[in-house]
Amino acid sequence: MRRVTMAVTADQVAALRAYLTGDLDKYERLVDQLDADAAAAGYSALLAAAFFEAVDRRFAENGTAADVVKFVGDVRAKSQRLAEIDPTVAERLILHSLGEGSIGDLDNETVISNQFLLLGALIVDEQLDNAGLDQFLAEARTVAEEWTS
Amino acid sequence: VTVTDEQVAMLRAHLNGDKAEHDRLAAEPDPPDFQPGFNALVATAFVEAVNRRFGRDRLLADIVRFVAHMRAEFLRDPDLLDPIAAEKLIQAALGDQQAAAELDDDAKARGQVFLLPALVDEAKLDRDGVDGLLTTARNQTDNLAV
């Protein structure tokens, strides 16, 4: 049987980049233009890979479960979308990225929406310049393509 | 229901981290924390401590940060306390009667018992300060019970 490969597209990367730079008008426009079927797999994989990479950068070396709890609390406290971030889900997503626990009981919509909001906060804290953000997205794209190939 | 000296002693031991005294009282045939009135004492102490801590600002962001800090710093496992339930308990203590309406009595008591030591710690209450808090809570509880 032939294996189907779902590549991450440049448009998907550009859409995520627009979100992470806070250009939400551009983000909305680019997301609307994405092919719906391709976006369902490729874009969600890119988002998940970016989340994985950002969590790894933030917590993998010295992060503790307590650090994760405080980070999520801080994100929610600053967020205008506080009610949309379930702290227990958010903590579990981060810990799962670090190799702890399971998220098998969470539906895709919950995972994606929480990863999306948390990723924005993680990248804000990273204070990446343009080159740093490009490198981050390139790494995320590589991971996403490995996952979907 | 009247609050007893032993119930106050039990809560004092909990708030002061006096494990030996807490264990001594817990080992009694009729432990004070299982007697009628103890949960009411905890609840009034909690409401008093929450209002001292959050005052008039009552910002949800402040509550969220406090609960996260408390779970991270005071619990050996943060999952011991549901953060949303804890936030609702604090909102309820600040006057939002409906905030904790869906929590059962056990969840309320459990959350209050977990959160109270953190509130006491953050207020930097020494033993006299804890006694003052407990005296206020006892008086309020006794008045509630009349």
Side-chain angles (χ1 to χ4, degrees):
Chain A
M1 189 169 70
R2 192 166 66 89
R3 192 169 191 178
V4 177
T5 298
M6 186 64 72
V8 175
T9 67
D11 288 346
Q12 291 166 352
V13 175
L16 186 56
R17 193 182 200 291
Y19 167 64
L20 294 177
T21 56
D23 190 344
L24 298 185
D25 289 340
K26 184 177 180 182
Y27 166 73
E28 296 285 352
R29 182 166 47 80
L30 291 174
V31 163
D32 285 346
Q33 292 170 356
L34 294 178
D35 175 82
D37 291 336
Y43 187 67
S44 61
L46 176 64
L47 174 62
F51 179 73
F52 177 84
E53 176 67 21
V55 167
D56 191 68
R57 290 185 180 196
R58 173 70 177 251
F59 295 105
E61 194 165 341
N62 297 311
T64 65
D67 292 332
V68 172
V69 169
K70 284 189 277 192
F71 169 74
V72 171
D74 196 45
V75 170
R76 293 179 63 235
K78 290 178 186 170
S79 178
Q80 295 178 340
R81 300 166 71 177
L82 191 156
E84 296 176 40
I85 307 173
D86 180 322
T88 305
V89 168
E91 291 163 15
R92 288 178 60 198
L93 287 171
I94 293 172
L95 292 171
H96 181 257
S97 276
L98 296 168
E100 296 178 33
S102 165
I103 57 169
D105 59 316
L106 301 179
D107 62 67
N108 282 342
E109 187 178 345
T110 298
V111 170
I112 290 170
S113 62
N114 278 275
Q115 284 179 335
F116 186 73
L117 294 171
L118 292 168
L119 175 61
L122 286 162
I123 293 304
V124 166
D125 286 355
E126 281 281 305
Q127 297 186 308
L128 299 174
D129 59 16
N130 281 333
L133 183 57
D134 286 339
Q135 183 182 348
F136 170 80
L137 287 167
E139 290 172 11
R141 182 177 186 171
T142 299
V143 171
E145 289 182 335
E146 286 173 1
W147 286 352
T148 56
S149 65
Chain B
V1 177
T2 302
V3 175
T4 67
D5 289 344
E6 282 199 326
Q7 289 171 345
V8 173
M10 187 94 182
L11 187 53
R12 181 188 296 114
H14 176 62
L15 297 180
N16 287 334
D18 188 346
K19 188 172 184 310
E21 174 67 355
H22 187 275
D23 289 350
R24 183 187 70 77
L25 291 163
E28 290 187 352
D30 184 17
D33 54 340
F34 281 87
Q35 297 167 4
F38 185 77
N39 283 356
L41 175 65
V42 171
T44 51
F46 178 74
V47 170
E48 175 69 17
V50 164
N51 278 275
R52 288 185 188 183
R53 164 63 177 79
F54 293 95
R56 293 181 178 177
D57 293 340
R58 305 181 177 192
L59 297 174
L60 182 54
D62 196 16
I63 295 171
V64 167
R65 278 202 184 91
F66 172 78
V67 170
H69 171 80
M70 178 271 164
R71 292 174 62 233
E73 300 294 337
F74 283 81
L75 301 181
R76 58 181 162 76
D77 177 0
D79 290 341
L80 287 170
L81 183 63
D82 178 344
I84 295 292
E87 291 163 13
K88 286 179 175 176
L89 280 172
I90 292 173
Q91 289 174 286
L94 291 169
D96 182 354
Q97 301 293 331
Q98 291 304 309
E102 65 194 38
L103 301 178
D104 62 31
D105 288 345
D106 283 348
K108 289 178 184 173
R110 178 182 173 81
Q112 289 165 348
V113 164
F114 274 128
L115 288 164
L116 253 179
L119 289 162
V120 165
D121 182 80
E122 204 170 273
K124 302 189 188 315
L125 296 185
D126 57 15
R127 287 178 179 261
D128 288 343
V130 169
D131 283 345
L133 173 68
L134 291 173
T135 298
T136 301
R138 181 175 191 169
N139 288 338
Q140 290 175 350
T141 308
D142 285 341
N143 287 335
L144 282 175
V146 169

